[in-house]
Amino acid sequence: MGSVGVFSESAPLPPPDENLDFAAVSAKYKEEREKRLRVEGLNQYHSDRWSKPISRPPIEETVDYLIVGAGFSGMILAVRLIQAGITNIKIVDKSGDFGGTWYWNRYPGAACDIEAYIYMPLLEETNYIPTEKYARGAELFAHSQRIGRTFGLYEKTLFQTEVTQLDWNENTKKWDVFTERGDKLHAQFITTAGGLLHKMKFPGVPGIETFKGHSFHTSRWDFDYTGGDINGNLHKLADKRVAVIGTGATAIQVVPQVGRWAKHLHVFQRTPSSVDVRLDGPTDPGWAKTLTKGWQQHRMDNFNNLVAGAYVTEDLVADGWTNVLAEIAVNAKMVEEIEAAPDPIAVANIIQKKMQAANFKKMDQIRKRVDAIVRNPKTAEALKPWYNYMCKRPGFHNDYLPTFNQPNVTLVDTEGRGIDRITEKGIVFNGIEHELDCIIYATGFEYVSNDYSQRLQLSIRGRNGIGLEDYWKDGPRTLHGFYTRNLPNHFIMSITQSALAPNFQHLLNEQAKHIAFVVAEAKKQGATTVEASQAAEDEWVKTIIRLGKLKEDFLRECTPSYYNDEGQISEKTLKTGRYGLGAPHFFNLLANWRAKGTMAGLELDGKPLRLRELKRCFL
Ligand code: NDP
């Protein structure tokens, strides 16, 4: 090699070697290429720590029903479709197994604080009784695999396959589905069951990319770095200074685990959560023996009715959810009472005051619990939530608050502002740089208020190439939350314009039964397409807005969170909201609609809606 000499950044390139040996250079290129070549080719880029990457050629296939998402929504829908006789199904998911949320979220301490006997789907059908009142992550993931095996779903599923595009084909009257592996799938019916916790969120603070230590999101936990597994034992953190950013439902479960093992843990808090007792305990085998056919649905209904404020004589679940929500939820009985009163405003005010008093009392108890547990008065003060119950998702944990009594744990309360920035060395708040080896982002996921297809990271184009994003640019438009105009045969499973039950699985089950009914009925009638009529969709959107106003004031006064679009409530917020009379009323509405059997509000094969049927969509 000749001398390099002095070479300034702006100088022209030095001349090439006159006697360059082209063959030798080619050989060197080849040698270097061989070093770099990976047999996995394009599949080497893998964001999934939990499964080995698979390699397969692209496929082309036509099915009756395609489901995007192999989490509990997709699985329950597949089961209900199979039970309704629709068996030619394909499920597609980017993960390596069933479970969705419970596939990805394997952080230490992961568990569900909704009772397992009502949360874990299809318990009777799979002949399984959970081992504890509140199931842990590993059991929930194993149960999804059990459902997959019991109903033969593995054979119907393409894992590690990300759907990128859904296009309605007016000629074939089918959906053309494209994946990042080059597959072309065609399906008469389709459901996007992307779940709520799909796309990770990180704080938009400066310097996040400059941090030189280790970092990861809770839903992609790095056990190689921390040691241990979903049950804890994070022994590799013994010499590490760790930060957890966020104090939501996930952080509440993660903080005790990290606090137990890290040399030092800093918890960066923006808004404290309400943290109630969790009544952990093993399943009593004697009780399990007493269960009779239909017990799970009965228990689910009992919980759902109680937390929606309906009058129920027994409380089967009897936990932190049922003992408070019954007193503070808006329910259909109250609305009837208000509407029937000669002076509705006076009655509404009385009801409102009663609910608010119950809410104040509950939150007072939650704050008193902090004082009773946390010894440092300044830390205790900072951990107290000052907002109404249900402004944010309530938390339940027995070890979270005691963790702040440990000498190796520091709460950095950002007093609602959030962290200022991230540097090469750590996190800065209020001019103080906290030096760290590791940052764990417990900062959550994009929620329903974010654009639907952007959140699911796929493009959805209906009739005449109309994109869902464009059609929904002023807010979602659906009938009953399932169908949207211009997207024939596309059934959405989401909470938007549908219901939100604290027991999310209950909602999924009701939605799955409903979709299976509609598809089976359409097939029975020989119809190729099902689509909401414009008039029915318009009416449903109006209904959602009208009933959404019942909760508008409550939400407006809440501390900002994803529940209230970060405190910026608009008509779009109301359109993105839920059916305002609560989940039990919504489920009844769907059940009554099915019982009538007229498919009111839907156009089969484009046949216009009979006007007299329109009102039947809105009981
Ligand atoms: P969340 O969105 O609930 O919480 C994110 C946390 O990050 C919040 O505390 C938020 O503060 C904080 N945060 C965001 N940006 C910043 C910032 N710049 N500086 C400081 N803090 C910040 O996410 P989770 O993962 O906790 O929960 C997601 C969902 O998962 C929840 O809806 C919950 O229902 C569900 N879940 C359910 C469980 C169950 O047992 N059933 C268990 C775990 C999760 P702020 O509050 O101020 O916005």
Side-chain angles (χ1 to χ4, degrees), residues 493-513:
M493 281 176 94
S494 158
I495 58 176
T496 297
Q497 299 192 359
S498 179
L500 177 59
N503 180 14
F504 193 53
Q505 309 297 351
H506 193 156
L507 169 69
L508 299 179
N509 192 31
E510 295 301 322
Q511 290 180 324
K513 282 192 295 194

Side-chain angles (χ1 to χ4, degrees), residues 139-327:
E139 187 170 6
L140 291 162
F141 175 48
H143 187 59
S144 11
Q145 294 175 311
R146 180 177 300 110
I147 295 171
R149 287 191 306 271
T150 307
F151 295 95
L153 302 184
Y154 277 95
E155 298 83 74
K156 297 181 186 298
T157 305
L158 292 176
F159 288 116
Q160 294 187 17
T161 304
E162 194 159 357
V163 173
T164 53
Q165 201 173 318
L166 309 175
D167 288 340
W168 173 252
N169 187 327
E170 191 61 27
N171 297 324
T172 59
K173 300 272 191 274
K174 287 188 169 47
W175 284 91
D176 293 331
V177 180
F178 302 89
T179 75
E180 104 299 1
R181 285 181 179 271
D183 307 310
K184 281 190 197 136
L185 304 163
H186 314 282
Q188 185 183 358
F189 297 99
I190 195 154
T191 278
T192 39
L196 290 182
L197 313 178
H198 179 78
K199 198 172 164 198
M200 294 173 272
K201 228 170 42 180
F202 294 88
V205 291
I208 191 161
E209 67 296 340
T210 62
F211 181 58
K212 290 231 161 102
H214 199 71
S215 59
F216 52 86
H217 191 274
T218 46
S219 67
R220 300 291 185 276
W221 196 274
D222 188 352
F223 287 109
D224 289 341
Y225 181 84
T226 64
D229 57 27
I230 193 165
N231 298 315
N233 190 24
L234 310 175
H235 57 94
K236 289 190 186 169
L237 294 182
D239 59 350
K240 302 285 190 296
R241 298 158 304 171
V242 183
V244 170
I245 305 180
T247 51
T250 300
I252 288 172
Q253 298 179 338
V254 159
V255 161
Q257 296 286 344
V258 178
R260 197 165 300 149
W261 294 96
K263 181 175 167 202
H264 202 95
L265 166 64
H266 288 84
V267 179
F268 287 84
Q269 171 180 272
R270 194 163 65 176
T271 317
S273 278
S274 73
V275 188
D276 206 338
V277 183
R278 196 170 75 186
L279 300 168
D280 288 325
T283 298
D284 170 6
W287 165 78
K289 280 198 194 113
T290 65
L291 299 172
T292 51
K293 196 167 164 22
W295 72 267
Q296 193 182 23
Q297 187 66 50
H298 177 61
R299 199 173 179 93
M300 283 164 76
D301 288 338
N302 177 261
F303 178 86
N304 194 41
N305 288 329
L306 253 169
V307 296
Y311 178 70
V312 178
T313 48
E314 57 178 347
D315 178 358
L316 293 171
V317 171
D319 69 0
W321 291 100
T322 56
N323 79 19
V324 61
L325 286 184
E327 292 180 46

Side-chain angles (χ1 to χ4, degrees), residues 359-394:
N359 200 315
F360 281 146
K361 284 185 193 157
K362 176 68 192 183
M363 288 306 277
D364 191 49
Q365 288 178 289
I366 294 281
R367 288 189 291 270
K368 286 206 164 74
R369 182 167 184 255
V370 180
D371 276 330
I373 295 174
V374 179
R375 286 197 289 271
N376 179 320
K378 198 168 160 237
T379 307
E381 217 38 52
L383 285 166
K384 290 180 190 167
W386 290 96
Y387 47 80
N388 268 325
Y389 200 75
M390 288 315 281
C391 273
K392 294 175 83 68
R393 204 256 187 214

Side-chain angles (χ1 to χ4, degrees), residues 553-587:
D553 289 345
F554 177 86
L555 286 178
R556 204 176 287 287
E557 285 168 20
C558 276
T559 188
S561 79
Y562 61 77
Y563 273 23
N564 64 356
D565 279 0
E566 293 294 329
Q568 295 168 343
I569 297 193
S570 60
E571 185 165 290
K572 200 169 171 183
T573 318
L574 297 182
K575 278 192 199 161
T576 311
R578 263 58 65 202
Y579 179 73
L581 296 185
H585 205 267
F586 180 69
F587 298 163

Side-chain angles (χ1 to χ4, degrees), residues 282-503:
T283 298
D284 170 6
W287 165 78
K289 280 198 194 113
T290 65
L291 299 172
T292 51
K293 196 167 164 22
W295 72 267
Q296 193 182 23
Q297 187 66 50
H298 177 61
R299 199 173 179 93
M300 283 164 76
D301 288 338
N302 177 261
F303 178 86
N304 194 41
N305 288 329
L306 253 169
V307 296
Y311 178 70
V312 178
T313 48
E314 57 178 347
D315 178 358
L316 293 171
V317 171
D319 69 0
W321 291 100
T322 56
N323 79 19
V324 61
L325 286 184
E327 292 180 46
I328 63 170
V330 183
N331 60 58
K333 197 165 146 266
M334 290 173 185
V335 176
E336 276 164 24
E337 221 176 291
I338 294 168
E339 284 175 350
D343 183 353
I345 295 176
V347 176
N349 281 338
I350 294 168
I351 290 178
Q352 162 66 20
K353 275 201 183 120
K354 237 169 72 185
M355 278 163 46
Q356 184 60 66
N359 200 315
F360 281 146
K361 284 185 193 157
K362 176 68 192 183
M363 288 306 277
D364 191 49
Q365 288 178 289
I366 294 281
R367 288 189 291 270
K368 286 206 164 74
R369 182 167 184 255
V370 180
D371 276 330
I373 295 174
V374 179
R375 286 197 289 271
N376 179 320
K378 198 168 160 237
T379 307
E381 217 38 52
L383 285 166
K384 290 180 190 167
W386 290 96
Y387 47 80
N388 268 325
Y389 200 75
M390 288 315 281
C391 273
K392 294 175 83 68
R393 204 256 187 214
F396 300 84
H397 209 284
N398 303 336
D399 300 329
Y400 176 73
L401 293 172
T403 302
F404 292 96
N405 289 332
Q406 294 175 204
N408 67 328
V409 178
T410 307
L411 177 73
V412 183
D413 179 29
T414 68
E415 297 175 1
R417 279 149 49 206
I419 56 170
D420 293 333
R421 65 197 152 89
I422 294 178
T423 64
E424 286 187 7
K425 290 190 192 155
I427 297 177
V428 179
F429 175 69
N430 234 2
I432 299 169
E433 183 179 49
H434 300 267
E435 292 196 13
L436 300 161
D437 300 299
C438 176
I439 299 177
I440 299 170
Y441 292 95
T443 42
F445 304 84
E446 284 195 8
Y447 202 57
V448 284
S449 35
N450 290 78
D451 285 341
Y452 186 69
S453 55
Q454 184 209 318
R455 187 163 57 84
L456 296 186
Q457 292 166 292
L458 57 87
S459 140
I460 305 174
R461 286 184 303 197
R463 194 184 299 108
N464 303 321
I466 295 173
L468 181 62
E469 291 313 321
D470 292 332
Y471 190 58
W472 280 16
K473 73 177 181 323
D474 297 324
R477 305 190 51 78
T478 73
L479 169 61
H480 297 162
F482 296 114
Y483 342 80
T484 196
R485 200 74 188 141
N486 304 311
L487 267 59
N489 295 2
H490 178 251
F491 304 91
I492 296 172
M493 281 176 94
S494 158
I495 58 176
T496 297
Q497 299 192 359
S498 179
L500 177 59
N503 180 14

